[in-house]
Amino acid sequence: MTVYNLALIGFGGVNRALAEIVAERNERLREELGFGLRVVAVTDLRLGSIVCADGVDLDAILALGPGDGDFSQYEGGSPEPRNEWVIKNAPADVVVEATFTNPLDGEPAVSHCRWALTSGRHVVTTNKGPVALAAEELKALAAGSGAAFEFEGAVMSGTPVIRLVKRMFGGLELSGFEGILNGTSNYVLGRMESGLDFDAAVREAQELGFAEADPTADVEGHDVRLKVAILANELLGACLSPADVPCTGISALTAEDIDKAAAEGTRWKLIGSARREPDGSVSAQVAPHAVPLSHHLAGVSGAVNAVAFDTDLLGVVTISGPGAGRLETAYALLSDIIAIHEAKTTPTTRSVLSS
């Protein structure tokens, strides 16, 4: 039976959750999916790195807490992350990239993906930066080395949207989409409807773990802008950079704006959208809109994400599901590995017609 060796680059919530899935469900995966998984390397800024060709002791490293030392206490371990060395030299088939990434240049994740693909290793990532800023380069590297570059979790975490549309919308023509692609901003707007002011709603989102200590990327729409660029490029055939997507966040909305919308039978949502223009070009934007309660995105509440696609034969098709969460995002990585395995046994893949 095929066994894929994994190198986990970054050992925060998402890759830690993937390690838990491998530790707890590997036998079930073998039975249901026809392949197994073995973690042979892990890197982390705090814990260092560990490489073990026979498989890392996942129970041991998952038990490491703050103050419990680093990977150097184990065979094959080092106190240094050694990301480049591990990516290029560990006996891994798949590099799982889940580090913090600068949204301006995509680093260090772009370099991590580049090193892996150049070395002929498959890459699965949940990072938006490499996909929004360097997808064409990374796809070309993957094609040249016979590797795969998969990134389903970069847009809606564990909720499949890119692969679902590419596989299941064959024969349909897409003219555009609009979506709620950031659970934090959606949660904040919902709490403002309940009477909280903006600052209080953000603090509550932070306390619940929805928002980062610095919520700017969420509430100012920067996170959504990256996701819109990814969806537009992947599903509408655009060539947009994030800078091509005008972006307005929700921080300027007041209690008066919320009350006025409610009185008019509307509801504020931060919406990322893209549309094919008559000349064939694709335009996109991120902005708050007061949508009528009958709108297909009006009922999306809390930290849930949703994207509504405009199609010629089916009309509006909406995909909704969790847009965050460590286990949900880890599942997206697993789904990418499943796709890599399927591609080895199923040579043809249907794609969406977006012209």
Side-chain angles (χ1 to χ4, degrees):
M1 177 178 289
T2 299
V3 175
Y4 294 103
N5 287 341
L6 310 182
L8 309 185
I9 309 304
F11 202 55
V14 174
N15 264 351
R16 186 177 287 265
L18 180 61
E20 292 170 0
I21 292 173
V22 174
E24 297 169 4
R25 301 194 182 189
N26 210 6
E27 287 306 313
R28 177 178 168 185
L29 294 176
R30 289 172 182 265
E31 293 175 4
E32 293 185 2
L33 302 175
F35 65 85
L37 299 173
R38 180 192 298 122
V39 176
V40 297
V42 182
T43 72
D44 184 76
L45 286 176
R46 180 179 69 85
L47 296 171
S49 57
I50 183 169
V51 178
C52 182
D54 295 328
V56 174
D57 185 340
L58 294 180
D59 290 335
I61 67 170
L62 285 168
L64 276 178
D68 290 340
D70 56 42
F71 291 151
S72 64
Q73 63 190 287
Y74 304 111
E75 184 178 355
S78 166
E80 301 299 324
R82 303 183 300 164
N83 285 335
E84 182 174 4
W85 186 91
V86 169
I87 290 170
K88 291 181 177 180
N89 294 282
D93 305 301
V94 182
V95 170
V96 185
E97 212 297 326
T99 63
F100 172 80
T101 299
N102 185 329
L104 297 179
D105 60 11
E107 294 295 351
V110 169
S111 289
H112 294 162
C113 296
R114 187 182 292 125
W115 294 333
L117 294 170
T118 301
S119 301
R121 291 168 171 81
H122 305 302
V123 170
V124 300
T125 184
T126 59
N127 267 309
K128 297 175 289 292
V131 189
L133 298 168
E136 292 309 307
E137 174 202 352
L138 297 175
K139 287 179 183 179
L141 288 176
S145 65
F149 177 51
E150 300 288 343
F151 43 84
E152 181 62 60
V155 174
M156 283 176 61
S157 183
T159 301
V161 58
I162 298 173
R163 193 172 294 119
L164 188 151
V165 170
K166 286 185 174 181
R167 290 188 177 184
M168 304 305 296
F169 280 26
L172 297 177
E173 182 174 317
L174 297 183
S175 58
F177 65 83
E178 55 183 355
I180 295 171
L181 296 169
N182 183 270
T184 298
S185 60
N186 201 48
Y187 180 85
V188 168
L189 289 173
R191 295 302 287 140
M192 290 178 71
E193 283 187 33
S194 300
L196 294 184
D197 64 25
F198 176 80
D199 291 335
V202 170
R203 284 195 299 271
E204 185 174 282
Q206 290 170 323
E207 291 168 0
L208 292 171
F210 296 149
E212 301 289 342
D214 180 358
T216 303
D218 294 322
V219 300
E220 297 302 344
H222 303 157
D223 173 72
V224 178
R225 176 163 55 184
L226 293 173
K227 294 174 179 178
V228 166
I230 293 170
L231 287 179
N233 293 342
E234 290 299 313
L235 303 181
L236 292 175
C239 295
L240 299 179
S241 72
D244 297 323
V245 183
C247 182
T248 303
I250 64 171
S251 60
L253 291 177
T254 64
E256 289 74 20
D257 294 323
I258 301 293
D259 292 341
K260 183 174 183 292
E264 295 175 348
T266 62
R267 174 174 289 153
W268 284 100
K269 295 293 183 184
L270 181 63
I271 294 178
S273 61
R275 184 156 301 279
R276 188 178 306 285
E277 303 297 341
D279 64 359
S281 64
V282 175
S283 62
Q285 68 166 343
V286 177
H289 294 275
V291 300
L293 298 183
S294 59
H295 190 276
H296 36 266
L297 297 177
V300 179
S301 59
V304 173
N305 282 187
V307 184
F309 294 96
D310 289 329
T311 76
D312 59 339
L313 300 180
L314 297 180
V316 176
V317 178
T318 303
I319 301 169
S320 179
R326 57 189 295 274
L327 279 172
E328 293 87 344
T329 308
Y331 173 74
L333 293 169
L334 177 59
S335 76
D336 283 340
I337 297 169
I338 293 170
I340 291 171
H341 179 72
E342 289 178 345
K344 294 176 63 176
T345 56
T346 308
T348 58
T349 301
R350 297 170 63 189
S351 62
V352 65
L353 301 179
S354 57
S355 60

